[in-house]
Amino acid sequence: PSQIVMPGTSAATSVQLKVYDTTNDDAHLRVTVATLLVRQPRPINGLIGIGAVVTIENIGATAFVGTPTGDASKPMRLLRFATPPNASNLSLGIGFDGSQIFTTDKGFGSTATVPPGTTDFAYGIDIPYAGTAVDVSFRAVYPTARIVVLVPPDMFVNGRDFQARGIVDNLGARYQVFTVANAPVASQVALHLTGLPQAGEKSYLDARALSIFAAVLALLALLVLVVYLRRDTLAPALGLIPPQAPGTTLISATEDTTSSATAEHERLLNALLTLEQARGAGKITDADYRQQDRDLRGRLRALMSVERSSLSPAGDVAGWVIDTQATETPAPKDATPATGAASEQSRGGRR
């Protein structure tokens, strides 16, 4: 259901529920796209924040449910996420409501549910850095079709395993975009960032307040970026689909509906941000905050579900971005990038 229905209400209510058989075997799970957002560093304590939205697809007919119990071959059958070494300050967003979390030195696991189809999971972490450089890495726990990393333009980047996709502007911010396709299980890719402020440098701002505010904004920005990547706003800029030819249109009869849906997305995200600010300022109680937060997130998930089900195959940019294996031929694993391209990639950031 798209909203909470309380038992014992006087008015008749019709609710449609989808019920699946369950399993704790993760063999049918794969990542369609993992989007990482690199935040500005906090030099006073030598930390840099990473926000992530991971879209997991369940290609089976049963719902995966993580469980902390298992068998001798796999004692814990959880939904798993890898994090870089020494990561700290884990914060959870969408997808993890009501689930138990178990952390290790290699990442964390959750008892979250993944029904057939795709489900988004958002989280944030801090990773330490020394000097003026840091490695941002991603290890594939499940087969991963695409990884997208967004980096502030004032950082120099050595792409290593990634392809540089230029710079995009979104929500008043600019990002360098780097992508890699088809990461097999247990493989690891990394970006080397330099030009950071010296770790341990004194800051004249309240680092704790800034980090909390930045974490909230980063998770909201990532949600909007994922929505826009699934539509047609950023996909041409990233080179994911060909630019629209003059005189043609991607949307015909559904144009007005799409515009209103986009406006509703923005309204709900703005409402979430306003709610976070009100809670931080102590203007609402925790109970009111939780109730309004559940309501807004439920409406946002329902809107995204309706949009996905109403898109036609020809106009479904979301399907294109998520299912890159069906539409993009990956580069051979033993291919070596041209010297010119590697040189331009290493120059990365400042423009």
Side-chain angles (χ1 to χ4, degrees), residues 23-24 64-70 75-79 102 110-112:
T23 180
N24 56 20
F64 172 84
V65 179
T67 174
T69 60
M76 300 178 74
R77 294 180 175 271
L78 300 169
L79 182 65
F102 300 84
S110 169
T111 58

Side-chain angles (χ1 to χ4, degrees), residues 16-349:
Q16 183 177 2
L17 298 175
K18 288 186 178 180
V19 180
Y20 300 98
D21 291 330
T22 62
T23 180
N24 56 20
D25 184 356
D26 61 5
H28 290 143
L29 301 185
R30 61 190 58 191
V31 175
T32 55
V33 59
T35 304
L36 309 180
L37 174 65
V38 179
R39 301 199 288 263
Q40 289 294 340
R42 306 196 299 280
I44 192 171
N45 48 16
L47 294 175
I48 187 167
I50 307 294
V53 171
V54 181
T55 301
I56 296 181
E57 180 182 18
N58 182 351
I59 62 174
T62 57
F64 172 84
V65 179
T67 174
T69 60
D71 52 33
S73 63
K74 189 179 290 185
M76 300 178 74
R77 294 180 175 271
L78 300 169
L79 182 65
R80 294 168 292 141
F81 299 85
T83 57
N86 301 319
S88 60
N89 300 329
L90 173 67
S91 59
L92 303 176
I94 60 170
F96 295 102
D97 292 345
S99 69
Q100 290 180 277
I101 302 298
F102 300 84
T103 60
T104 70
D105 58 344
K106 296 182 180 179
F108 66 96
S110 169
T111 58
T113 300
V114 185
T118 59
T119 306
D120 290 328
F121 295 89
Y123 63 90
I125 55 173
D126 286 332
I127 59 175
Y129 76 96
T132 60
V134 68
D135 284 331
V136 176
S137 62
F138 179 87
R139 183 168 64 86
V141 178
Y142 306 104
T144 301
R146 191 172 190 84
I147 304 166
V148 179
V149 182
L150 306 169
V151 182
D154 58 347
M155 298 180 186
F156 291 104
V157 181
N158 180 343
R160 295 184 183 176
D161 311 302
F162 288 78
Q163 280 190 310
R165 296 289 187 174
I167 293 183
V168 296
D169 294 274
N170 192 67
L171 299 177
R174 307 191 78 197
Y175 302 100
Q176 300 175 80
V177 182
F178 297 86
T179 64
V180 65
N182 299 323
V185 173
S187 66
Q188 182 166 296
V189 294
L191 285 175
H192 184 67
L193 308 182
T194 59
L196 308 181
Q198 180 70 40
E201 205 172 73
K202 185 177 180 180
S203 173
Y204 294 96
L205 298 175
D206 184 344
R208 177 177 174 80
L210 285 177
S211 64
I212 294 174
F213 185 65
V216 173
L217 288 182
L219 287 176
L220 290 176
L222 269 175
L223 290 175
V224 174
L225 283 169
V226 169
V227 172
Y228 277 53
L229 281 168
R230 289 181 175 182
R231 303 179 67 81
D232 60 353
T233 306
L234 289 181
L238 300 183
L240 302 177
I241 62 173
Q244 183 181 354
T248 63
T249 180
L250 290 175
I251 303 175
S252 55
T254 60
E255 183 172 346
D256 290 340
T257 302
T258 302
S259 298
S260 62
T262 300
E264 180 64 6
H265 266 297
E266 295 176 352
R267 189 189 71 77
L268 290 173
L269 289 171
N270 285 332
L272 281 170
L273 179 57
T274 301
L275 183 62
E276 290 286 350
Q277 292 171 337
R279 183 194 188 190
K283 295 181 179 179
I284 60 174
T285 64
D286 285 344
D288 288 339
Y289 165 81
R290 288 193 295 270
Q291 177 63 39
Q292 295 181 44
D293 183 76
R294 284 195 298 269
D295 180 66
L296 289 171
R297 291 180 187 276
R299 291 159 62 187
L300 183 59
R301 285 194 292 269
L303 181 60
M304 292 175 67
S305 175
V306 171
E307 286 180 330
R308 284 198 295 268
S309 65
S310 63
L311 286 173
S312 66
D316 192 357
V317 177
W320 197 99
V321 174
I322 292 173
D323 193 9
T324 54
Q325 290 177 319
T327 57
E328 175 177 315
T329 302
K333 293 184 179 179
D334 57 350
T336 302
T339 303
S343 174
E344 178 179 352
Q345 195 171 327
S346 67
R347 290 194 294 269

